[in-house]
Amino acid sequence: MASVLVASNRGPVSYVLGEDGSLDTRRGGGGLVSGLSAVSSQDSVWVCAALGEGDREAVRRGVGEPGVRMLDIDPDVYADAYNGIANSVLWFLHHHLYDIPREPVYDAEFRRRWESYRAYNRAFAEALAGAADEGAAVLVQDYHLALVPGQLRELRPDLRIAHFTHTPWASPAYLRMLPDDVREELLWGMLGADELGFHTSAWAESFAAGADVAGTGTRVAVHPLGVDAEELRALAYRPAVDERLAELRAEVGDRKTIVRVDRTELSKNILRGLLAYRELLTARPEWRGRVVHLASAYPSRQDLEVYRSYTTSVAALAEEINAEFGTEDWTPVLVSVKDDFTRSLAAYRLADVALVNPVRDGMNLVAKEIPVVSEQGCALVLSREAGAYEELREDALTVNPFDVSETAEALHTALTMPHPERADRTKRLATASTALPPQRWFLNQLEALRGPA
Amino acid sequence: MASVLVASNRGPVSYVLGEDGSLDTRRGGGGLVSGLSAVSSQDSVWVCAALGEGDREAVRRGVGEPGVRMLDIDPDVYADAYNGIANSVLWFLHHHLYDIPREPVYDAEFRRRWESYRAYNRAFAEALAGAADEGAAVLVQDYHLALVPGQLRELRPDLRIAHFTHTPWASPAYLRMLPDDVREELLWGMLGADELGFHTSAWAESFAAGADVAGTGTRVAVHPLGVDAEELRALAYRPAVDERLAELRAEVGDRKTIVRVDRTELSKNILRGLLAYRELLTARPEWRGRVVHLASAYPSRQDLEVYRSYTTSVAALAEEINAEFGTEDWTPVLVSVKDDFTRSLAAYRLADVALVNPVRDGMNLVAKEIPVVSEQGCALVLSREAGAYEELREDALTVNPFDVSETAEALHTALTMPHPERADRTKRLATASTALPPQRWFLNQLEALRGPA
């Protein structure tokens, strides 16, 4: 039994099943792990899903970490809930990613998956209900578990429940696409919480515009997650990163660098980023041969055709630009498709300009990490549709992510920014980025939940 | 000089150039032609664009109808304005049709086209300014000419200017995708009008939510265009239609019919209509062999790849359904790709059920025409995202156009509706559909414009 509970799809540990039947434990990082460490593990329980065969085997054998409760949900139910609803419906809605003439299609198959989503949420609600002390605080994470607050409220009216959304929230015109009863159930689930947290006021307002919050007793609050400067700098200045940095420097020479680091995710806007870079080289030919665009764009969700096709388009456009402008000793775009955090940190340190131009993004921590580890100061070109915009807008060069010409011009301004100005801005960006580090972010929510209801 | 002026891209006449050099005049129909006929042609001028080679030749020869002023705009400027901006940008924005991860791309090419759109609008503004009496009333039509009110206001502050939008208006989240200065220019153009008209309060509210109307002196008004019952019935009960009806009856036999009539337009939602029909045949197998879906879906904008691919998908899905359910003597879906109004009217008369399920639609006159000409009464399955929803919702079976299961169930309810109820509803739908026929619709706007400012 615990007085503080966290629920999230992915937990703080995972298990890999070896060929000899052994189980290897892997520990994750991230804001929640760091945040929950502020609470004694004797008082806390983290409820999460078994994700792979290793996790399922660990559950079967009763192997586990103290304070972690892993749920072995039926794999078909899990796949329908996680891929079929959370990542294919709710992710697309909240990020406005649907190609509306063709998608979404809410048919009988969708209905079947929605029942799995409900069951998967219910498994979490029941586990939480069974593990919570009288009056305990429960912090439910993200769009995977949007029904948990309502379900848990019915099982345990005594609990204090918070839900935090790490994505944006769909605008009313998008939310309205859901079947009415499904939309109502989704909102009922969310409004079971005492507090609903979002990264920025933009998403909080989007939620309030599509829901009937008044009179429900639910508070809508903004907790903009920041980065832990000390931890991040320690990671970024390890010898392994120094080595990658030296390699990158050798590759780039004395050219300026425009750096981006993303999963190849539809919302990240990598294509328009490349188009803006092409327009820069066309409109401002003085940059030809003098700049390199380092784009880390590692594959994501390759089980979905729309992601595979997007990934192909990114590679094709980069090649097109290299064919059009490249010379014997200059490759304009270097795309790296390997998910390599060490290389990313080296690129962060090296960057003269960072390009963070998502079409819609819950927060975007890359925008907050780069200023913290930058060596010489880095000009940040930032989309106004990223959650980070609210805190970083004053010292970033902000752009409309659909406006490729404006983005190209912002890249030029960033590249020509005098060094003292760039250093000053980077310092202020780093301060803003670290204003609410994970532990404080977590404790703020916990305190808000335990305060007078 | 005139006291009433209309401006629209397409005019009331067009010219076809024969091989012998002769010019053949074609007269168009539609709400505006019918509406303007309420005004004496001596007092009125209709300004429109020369659309094809015939029109341009007519302008060169000085051929023309009294009261029609055709503008011979540079063909490249026209193509950029009409295809490049009006139909590829503004149409997509107002109907929410963009595949956001890839489109829109507002780059240097877009900027070039936007200048053409401005020039094309200016040609209209100048022609109107030159033809208008002191204090004349000018009625500007649609998204092609959104800048005309502002441009004309600068040239002729004495005029009374109305603009009517026949499409929906983009929700704020969509409008915000435009480059800031372009969005501001678009709104400046619109707000040059004394009155901005929309088909429904939903689009009027959408406009007001994205613009700063207060203090501009512009009124936002709703004028829901209806159909002229007498004219439409006269058209629908001609012998040529009787013949097509007899042919359709022979094809369909004693089966029930579900009828749809659309251009193959991304907003019309033909794919989900077919998916709903498939779900009907799956979930309610009693309808197999007892119903035929007559889908008139004639090709549109085939110069755009996204329309070609959509048209291909419609044909493929119809074939799939026929392959899955069809029998020797029953073809479940009959797709007609010919733009044949005579056949459409025959289908209107025959229909047991009409399916009008757009994802977003300014008005949708098909939903208003079918009840007027139906022979036996026709149950109307109607999208809540069609403009017609506001007036027809009580007697239609209304659906969320993304909810294929709900649409399938509505088709079942429509097919099983008892005859007296269907006839009663159709009668009331016809009354609502003819509440504001074109002449009245036009005169209302004219009177509003001439009333106290």
Side-chain angles (χ1 to χ4, degrees):
Chain A
M1 302 299 281
S3 64
V4 177
L5 299 95
V6 166
S8 66
N9 176 67
R10 178 180 298 275
V13 291
S14 64
Y15 299 92
V16 179
L17 188 60
E19 286 193 10
D20 60 350
S22 66
L23 277 176
D24 190 19
T25 309
R26 304 271 166 91
R27 259 160 255 280
L32 262 183
V33 171
S34 182
L36 192 60
S37 70
V39 178
S40 153
S41 70
Q42 287 186 314
D43 292 333
S44 70
V45 163
W46 188 324
V47 178
C48 57
L51 300 183
E53 225 5 79
D55 288 359
R56 293 184 189 281
E57 185 59 26
V59 175
R60 272 177 227 125
R61 291 186 197 171
V63 173
E65 301 278 306
V68 177
R69 173 88 199 283
M70 215 173 242
L71 305 179
D72 185 7
I73 295 163
D74 176 89
D76 291 336
V77 170
Y78 181 78
D80 283 343
Y82 180 74
N83 293 319
I85 297 294
N87 286 344
S88 298
V89 175
L90 299 178
W91 180 272
F92 276 67
L93 274 180
H94 290 324
H95 289 87
H96 295 184
L97 297 175
Y98 277 127
D99 181 13
I100 290 180
R102 294 169 180 271
E103 295 281 338
V105 169
Y106 299 128
D107 58 3
E109 173 63 15
F110 164 79
R111 291 277 164 185
R112 205 183 53 68
R113 290 177 181 168
W114 182 254
E115 280 176 33
S116 291
Y117 181 75
R118 190 188 290 143
Y120 155 84
N121 273 252
R122 178 154 289 274
F124 275 82
E126 285 170 359
L128 292 164
D133 283 335
E134 176 75 19
V138 184
L139 292 95
V140 182
Q141 305 302 311
D142 231 358
Y143 64 100
H144 312 91
L145 302 177
L147 302 182
V148 166
Q151 293 170 337
L152 184 56
R153 172 76 58 212
E154 284 190 342
L155 295 170
R156 292 286 304 273
D158 61 298
L159 301 180
R160 302 210 173 175
I161 307 171
H163 182 281
F164 193 88
T165 296
H166 294 262
T167 62
W169 188 266
S171 71
Y174 264 81
L175 198 65
R176 201 178 138 76
M177 286 192 240
L178 280 176
D180 286 355
D181 59 321
V182 170
R183 189 186 70 242
E184 278 159 25
E185 187 175 352
L186 181 71
L187 294 173
W188 166 86
M190 294 286 284
L191 292 169
D194 296 291
E195 177 168 299
L196 292 174
F198 296 91
H199 278 310
T200 79
S201 59
W203 313 144
E205 284 161 18
S206 201
F207 179 84
D212 233 340
V213 181
T216 59
T218 300
R219 284 188 309 273
V220 177
V222 176
H223 300 283
L225 178 63
V227 302
D228 183 325
E230 208 175 320
E231 186 185 282
L232 185 62
R233 285 203 190 104
L235 273 171
Y237 285 81
R238 283 170 302 147
V241 179
D242 295 341
E243 281 170 34
R244 300 308 308 271
L245 181 56
E247 287 166 28
L248 280 180
R249 280 223 171 90
E251 213 169 350
V252 167
D254 59 357
R255 297 186 177 93
K256 299 247 186 193
T257 53
I258 299 172
V259 166
R260 75 174 305 141
V261 176
D262 306 282
R263 285 185 296 124
T264 305
E265 158 55 47
L266 302 178
S267 61
K268 298 295 183 187
N269 208 17
I270 302 169
L271 286 176
R272 288 190 194 83
L274 288 169
L275 292 174
Y277 183 61
R278 183 167 74 183
E279 193 158 316
L280 173 76
L281 298 177
T282 305
R284 305 278 188 178
E286 66 266 31
W287 287 113
R288 293 183 197 171
R290 291 182 50 221
V291 63
V292 173
H293 184 14
L294 296 171
S296 286
Y298 48 93
S300 168
R301 300 194 187 167
Q302 294 294 299
D303 52 319
L304 293 181
E305 158 58 20
V306 62
Y307 280 79
R308 286 198 301 279
S309 132
Y310 190 78
T311 305
T312 306
S313 298
V314 167
L317 182 53
E319 270 174 43
E320 216 177 274
I321 293 170
N322 285 337
E324 185 178 352
F325 297 99
T327 59
E328 214 163 287
D329 62 352
W330 173 55
T331 306
V333 188
L334 298 173
V335 176
S336 161
V337 297
K338 215 178 133 197
D339 180 7
D340 177 351
F341 192 52
T342 304
R343 183 186 187 276
S344 298
L345 288 169
Y348 284 7
R349 283 170 57 184
L350 179 67
D352 295 295
V353 175
L355 176 57
V356 179
N357 66 327
V359 293
R360 199 171 167 91
D361 204 337
M363 171 52 82
N364 198 301
L365 284 175
V366 171
K368 290 186 161 182
E369 289 167 349
I370 291 183
V372 171
V373 303
S374 169
E375 289 196 359
Q376 304 279 329
C378 171
L380 175 62
V381 174
L382 179 63
S383 165
R384 68 184 183 194
E385 307 297 339
Y389 171 80
E390 222 162 89
E391 295 163 279
L392 306 185
R393 57 188 292 178
E394 275 179 42
D395 287 296
L397 301 169
T398 62
V399 295
N400 170 350
F402 305 101
D403 193 340
V404 163
S405 297
E406 185 190 39
T407 306
E409 198 51 28
L411 290 174
H412 173 72
T413 306
L415 287 166
T416 50
M417 190 182 282
H419 185 263
E421 180 185 348
R422 194 197 289 187
D424 283 353
R425 284 183 185 243
T426 302
K427 201 180 285 178
R428 289 192 297 266
L429 286 169
T431 303
S433 297
T434 54
L436 192 61
Q439 289 209 5
R440 195 63 252 161
W441 172 82
F442 184 84
L443 288 174
N444 280 3
Q445 293 176 69
L446 194 57
E447 284 159 16
L449 206 55
R450 284 171 162 171
Chain B
M1 302 300 280
S3 64
V4 177
L5 298 94
V6 167
S8 65
N9 177 66
R10 178 180 297 276
V13 290
S14 64
Y15 299 91
V16 180
L17 189 59
E19 288 193 8
D20 60 351
S22 66
L23 277 176
D24 190 19
T25 309
R26 304 272 164 94
R27 260 161 252 282
L32 264 183
V33 172
S34 182
L36 192 60
S37 70
V39 179
S40 152
S41 71
Q42 287 186 313
D43 292 335
S44 70
V45 163
W46 188 324
V47 179
C48 57
L51 301 183
E53 225 6 80
D55 288 358
R56 293 184 191 283
E57 186 57 27
V59 175
R60 273 177 228 126
R61 293 190 197 168
V63 172
E65 300 278 306
V68 177
R69 174 86 199 284
M70 215 173 240
L71 305 178
D72 185 8
I73 296 163
D74 177 274
D76 291 337
V77 170
Y78 181 78
D80 283 343
Y82 180 75
N83 293 319
I85 297 294
N87 287 343
S88 297
V89 174
L90 299 178
W91 179 272
F92 276 68
L93 274 180
H94 289 324
H95 289 88
H96 295 184
L97 297 176
Y98 277 128
D99 181 13
I100 290 179
R102 293 170 181 271
E103 295 282 338
V105 169
Y106 298 129
D107 57 4
E109 172 64 14
F110 164 79
R111 291 277 165 186
R112 205 182 53 69
R113 290 179 182 167
W114 182 255
E115 279 176 35
S116 292
Y117 181 75
R118 191 187 290 141
Y120 154 84
N121 273 253
R122 178 155 289 275
F124 275 81
E126 285 170 359
L128 291 164
D133 283 334
E134 176 76 20
V138 184
L139 292 96
V140 182
Q141 305 302 312
D142 231 357
Y143 62 100
H144 313 90
L145 302 177
L147 303 181
V148 166
Q151 294 170 337
L152 183 56
R153 172 75 57 213
E154 284 190 340
L155 296 169
R156 291 286 304 271
D158 61 298
L159 301 180
R160 303 211 173 175
I161 307 171
H163 182 281
F164 193 88
T165 297
H166 294 261
T167 62
W169 189 266
S171 70
Y174 265 82
L175 197 66
R176 203 177 136 78
M177 285 193 240
L178 280 176
D180 287 355
D181 59 323
V182 170
R183 189 186 70 243
E184 278 160 25
E185 187 176 352
L186 181 70
L187 294 173
W188 166 86
M190 293 286 284
L191 291 169
D194 296 290
E195 176 167 300
L196 293 174
F198 296 91
H199 278 311
T200 79
S201 60
W203 313 144
E205 284 161 17
S206 201
F207 179 84
D212 235 340
V213 181
T216 59
T218 300
R219 284 189 309 274
V220 177
V222 176
H223 300 284
L225 178 63
V227 302
D228 183 324
E230 207 175 319
E231 185 185 283
L232 184 62
R233 286 204 191 104
L235 274 172
Y237 285 83
R238 283 171 301 147
V241 180
D242 295 340
E243 278 169 36
R244 300 310 308 269
L245 181 56
E247 287 167 29
L248 279 180
R249 281 223 170 91
E251 213 169 352
V252 167
D254 58 356
R255 298 183 176 94
K256 299 246 187 194
T257 54
I258 299 173
V259 167
R260 77 173 304 140
V261 176
D262 305 283
R263 285 185 297 125
T264 305
E265 158 54 49
L266 302 178
S267 62
K268 298 297 182 184
N269 208 17
I270 302 169
L271 285 176
R272 290 189 192 83
L274 288 169
L275 292 172
Y277 183 62
R278 182 167 74 184
E279 193 158 315
L280 172 77
L281 297 178
T282 305
R284 305 278 187 175
E286 66 266 32
W287 288 113
R288 294 183 197 170
R290 291 181 51 220
V291 63
V292 173
H293 184 14
L294 295 172
S296 286
Y298 48 93
S300 168
R301 299 191 187 168
Q302 295 294 299
D303 53 318
L304 293 181
E305 158 58 21
V306 62
Y307 279 79
R308 286 199 301 277
S309 133
Y310 190 78
T311 304
T312 305
S313 298
V314 166
L317 181 53
E319 271 175 41
E320 217 178 272
I321 293 170
N322 285 337
E324 184 178 352
F325 296 99
T327 60
E328 215 164 286
D329 63 352
W330 175 55
T331 306
V333 189
L334 297 173
V335 176
S336 162
V337 297
K338 216 178 131 198
D339 181 5
D340 176 351
F341 193 50
T342 304
R343 184 186 186 276
S344 298
L345 288 170
Y348 283 8
R349 284 170 56 184
L350 178 68
D352 295 296
V353 176
L355 176 57
V356 179
N357 67 326
V359 294
R360 198 170 168 93
D361 204 337
M363 171 50 83
N364 198 302
L365 284 175
V366 172
K368 290 187 159 180
E369 289 167 349
I370 291 183
V372 170
V373 302
S374 169
E375 289 197 358
Q376 304 278 329
C378 170
L380 174 63
V381 175
L382 179 64
S383 165
R384 67 183 184 195
E385 307 295 341
Y389 171 80
E390 222 162 87
E391 296 163 277
L392 306 185
R393 56 189 293 180
E394 276 179 40
D395 287 295
L397 301 169
T398 62
V399 296
N400 170 349
F402 305 101
D403 192 340
V404 163
S405 297
E406 185 190 38
T407 307
E409 198 51 26
L411 289 175
H412 173 71
T413 306
L415 287 167
T416 51
M417 189 183 283
H419 184 264
E421 181 185 348
R422 195 197 287 185
D424 282 353
R425 284 183 185 244
T426 302
K427 203 179 288 179
R428 289 192 297 266
L429 286 168
T431 303
S433 298
T434 54
L436 192 61
Q439 290 210 2
R440 195 64 252 161
W441 171 83
F442 185 84
L443 288 175
N444 281 2
Q445 293 175 69
L446 194 56
E447 285 160 15
L449 207 55
R450 285 171 161 171

